[in-house]
Amino acid sequence: MTTTEAPLPGTYRVADESPVRFADAMDAWMPLAYEELIATARRYHAVVTYLELSEHVQARSGIRTRALLTNWIGKLLEGVAVRATANGEPPLTALCVRQDGTIGPGYARAPKSVVGEPGDDIEQYAAEHRLLCYQKFAGDLPPDGGMPALTRAEAERRARLRAKEPARRPACSSCFTTLPSTGVCDYC
């Protein structure tokens, strides 16, 4: 960059590098994000990452931002959630996950068209909501209607954690001592 060139504005139109108000960018991105999440819901067990969704809306709109993804993607998804709720649709934002395949704790606070509390497992909660999306939009559901599923990355992470847990041996029902391999307590 020479000294006569000005740096690009924070949010700008790619075609001419003209500045775009961030609120106008969000207005352009919201319907694109909504459409992309509907397209994702059409494929059973499909998800899209925050990064993929952000790239999609910026490329399709011709409007880019230099703002950190974490500073604006939640607001974009909130707008999509409000629209889905107003349309009586399932929570489409459950389809958008972090790079590591998790939904993250912020999902518990997202507007939703379904009633229920996330409980202790936000990932399972989101999996149940993703199933609602697939049941409404997917053309490739199994005959039984499908079942909630964690993302592949999250399921693999949990399997690795379970594999690391030591096997628990049964205990005696009388003295609560760990039973030997015979299954008969040596003390009772």
Side-chain angles (χ1 to χ4, degrees), residues 18-95:
S18 62
V20 175
R21 285 181 2 152
F22 197 78
D24 293 338
M26 290 295 275
D27 288 344
W29 295 336
M30 199 87 57
L32 296 171
Y34 176 82
E35 290 167 9
E36 181 64 10
L37 289 171
I38 295 281
T40 301
R42 288 193 171 106
R43 297 180 321 274
Y44 183 55
H45 285 192
V47 293
V48 62
T49 67
Y50 294 134
L51 187 60
E52 291 166 338
L53 185 64
S54 73
E55 182 54 35
H56 174 81
V57 300
Q58 290 180 86
R60 292 284 311 270
S61 68
I63 300 171
R64 294 213 165 260
T65 186
R66 296 172 60 171
L68 291 174
L69 178 64
T70 55
N71 291 341
W72 62 270
I73 196 72
K75 184 77 171 160
L76 180 68
L77 288 169
E78 183 179 335
V80 169
V82 167
R83 181 174 174 181
T85 299
N87 292 343
E89 295 167 337
L92 295 170
T93 56
L95 300 164

